[in-house]
Amino acid sequence: MASEAPQQNTATRILCDAIELERAKAAKSYWDRLIGVSPEGGTPLQKFRVPIPDNTDPDFAIEVFSQGSLGMRVDLASGQMHSAAHCVISAIESQVNGATRILDGHFPARDRYLCTASLAFVDDTSIAKPIRALRSPQKGFTLAHLLSMLVRQQYRRWNKLKLARRHMIFLKDIVGPREAGEAGDRLVFVEHLYIVGVRRREAPFRRRGPSWCYYPEVEIRI
């Protein structure tokens, strides 16, 4: 029995080392993607902007930076997407630069609801709907509040797409064949989606609600 203990301890250490190695690889892959470097051989990632609606306000844009680099992953808070809103807000505050920036100048306190929408993909109709704007009595309405609304909507919308569930969304279907070029037939997954900014367009129900509809400007990185 005594001789078996060292063997078990050795096996346990080997298993733990293997687990830690996999965790390290996963972490490196995440940070490589975050800063725009492919895990495969350090090749720079290709970046493709998803077309925005024609009625987008050219004078309104908020850039989104995560860890000093432009863009935050749509699945950044995937583990909290079905949790309470404050869980997503906390995840964004820990990852996005300037997330606690107060936006009350753009979104007055009297506006209890904002019209938000996901960016259209393939068979997505980019449904716009008014969502209650969460506010912290201490902080006002922050960038984290706005991003939490948009990222949850975009993440859920993506996962409802029939082609996404079948893992059959190609780059050319999202950005168009000309923009995609030779990479057109590459498959796109939710982890390839980055929010690089917040934009707004005319709301489809201006007479009955908010004048503007806010949506995420998305970039595909593969």
Side-chain angles (χ1 to χ4, degrees):
M1 293 293 291
S3 61
E4 293 180 2
Q7 294 179 356
Q8 292 176 349
N9 291 337
T10 300
T12 300
R13 285 197 299 272
I14 293 174
L15 178 60
C16 290
D17 289 344
I19 292 174
E20 288 303 317
L21 179 60
E22 290 303 314
R23 286 178 175 172
K25 289 180 179 178
K28 183 179 185 304
S29 175
Y30 171 79
W31 288 109
D32 282 346
R33 288 189 177 280
L34 195 64
I35 64 176
V37 177
S38 172
E40 296 83 13
T43 304
L45 290 171
Q46 290 181 279
K47 302 177 181 180
F48 303 87
R49 290 288 178 100
V50 178
I52 61 177
D54 293 334
N55 60 349
T56 295
D57 180 2
D59 298 321
F60 180 90
I62 300 175
E63 290 186 316
V64 177
F65 288 84
S66 178
Q67 303 295 327
S69 298
L70 181 66
M72 62 166 279
R73 286 173 53 146
V74 168
D75 66 340
L76 173 145
S78 59
Q80 289 80 33
M81 285 301 177
H82 301 287
S83 304
H86 68 84
C87 295
V88 179
I89 292 173
S90 296
I92 291 173
E93 287 180 340
S94 67
Q95 296 287 338
V96 175
N97 300 111
T100 57
R101 170 187 168 191
I102 297 176
L103 302 178
D104 285 347
H106 294 293
F107 308 96
R110 65 177 180 273
D111 294 339
R112 293 183 58 201
Y113 291 87
L114 292 179
C115 172
T116 62
S118 58
L119 196 57
F121 293 138
V122 197
D123 59 346
D124 184 4
T125 55
S126 189
I127 295 176
K129 60 181 180 180
I131 297 179
R132 186 170 185 174
L134 300 173
R135 279 182 166 78
S136 165
Q138 294 79 26
K139 301 178 182 178
F141 185 70
T142 67
L143 177 59
H145 286 121
L146 179 59
L147 287 175
S148 71
M149 299 164 68
L150 297 177
V151 74
R152 282 162 68 99
Q153 194 167 353
Q154 189 72 69
Y155 181 83
R156 291 174 177 175
R157 195 67 184 159
W158 173 270
N159 285 296
K160 286 181 179 179
L161 295 175
K162 292 180 180 178
L163 293 178
R165 293 197 300 269
R166 297 173 183 171
H167 305 298
M168 292 181 61
I169 293 185
F170 297 96
L171 180 64
K172 62 185 177 185
D173 298 323
I174 299 178
V175 302
R178 179 177 298 180
E179 178 67 21
E182 295 181 356
D185 290 327
R186 295 189 63 176
L187 288 171
V188 177
F189 302 97
V190 69
E191 58 264 30
H192 296 143
L193 276 57
Y194 286 72
I195 294 178
V196 296
V198 177
R199 304 298 298 271
R200 70 183 183 185
R201 59 183 173 83
E202 295 180 3
F205 39 78
R206 293 176 67 107
R207 295 180 181 178
R208 297 184 289 108
S211 298
W212 297 105
C213 183
Y214 296 85
Y215 68 90
E217 185 172 5
V218 177
E219 186 174 81
I220 308 298
R221 298 180 183 178
I222 54 177

